[in-house]
Amino acid sequence: MMDQPAVSNIFGTLGAVLWSIQLLPQIFLNWRRHNAAGLSPSFMLLWAFAGIPLGAYNIVSGFSIALQIQPQILITLSLLTWSQCQYYEQSWKWPKLIIVTIMAMIGVGGLEASFVFALRHGKENGTYWPLVLMAVLAATLLVSGVSEQYITIYRTRSVAGISFLFCAIDAAGDIASIISVAFGSKLDVAGLTIYAVEFLFWCGIFACGVHLKALPWIKERKLRMSTSGRSSEVTGSPDRQIQLHNLPSSTSVFHTGSTDLDLRQRNPPVLS
């Protein structure tokens, strides 16, 4: 049976990997399509800023090396995605884009390093409230990014454009991180809370998907099957049978916002 440090390292690494692969496909997709339509720059900035207190907390708390690296990955990929939004959607020139992105990375790195130094100094002197504050700030910034999805759902009464695959990967990263923290050298309640709160917010997004997309699709499918059965009974001859063609399924939720925008551009809605 594996000891606790081994379990913590394995799941910490898994959490870091999952948080990496969630944004890498989006970065590649933006580059391939030369647009970042449907992405929220503020969402990416919130996640980049969330990595500052999260990284400082994980390092000072002595989490596994993977969980200490995880926030740095989040910061880097979030800033790269944000820079793509500025380049493709705001038409930033390359010199401005490179300078601003590099300065942002240096500033974020310097701020996190300052937090680590200050938190360690406070911890050595028995002052723990700044460490708790970092945990609260990290959780708040992480869920603030996710909360944008709730605002969009509320305004549109739809989950169109939300990538549930992206949500699932991020939620899986939260679960892996929770397990890693739970199997650490000591139980860190604040560390567990950071990842647990974001995971609960993702669960709410899935619940909205079930309510707004899965349930209506199930009802529509049942009605279609019922209508098809009645039509077969009414039409006596094969020549007069009504053929019901399957419509494209509305449950294809693994689209980014840019994908849905492309579809709308190719098939513009008819306004009444």
Side-chain angles (χ1 to χ4, degrees), residues 227-232 234-245:
T227 304
S228 176
R230 288 197 299 268
S231 299
S232 299
V234 172
T235 54
S237 64
D239 294 335
R240 295 175 59 195
Q241 277 190 342
I242 299 175
Q243 299 292 332
L244 295 178
H245 298 281

Side-chain angles (χ1 to χ4, degrees), residues 197-209:
V197 169
E198 189 191 34
F199 174 72
L200 290 176
F201 268 67
W202 284 129
C203 289
I205 297 294
F206 290 125
C208 291

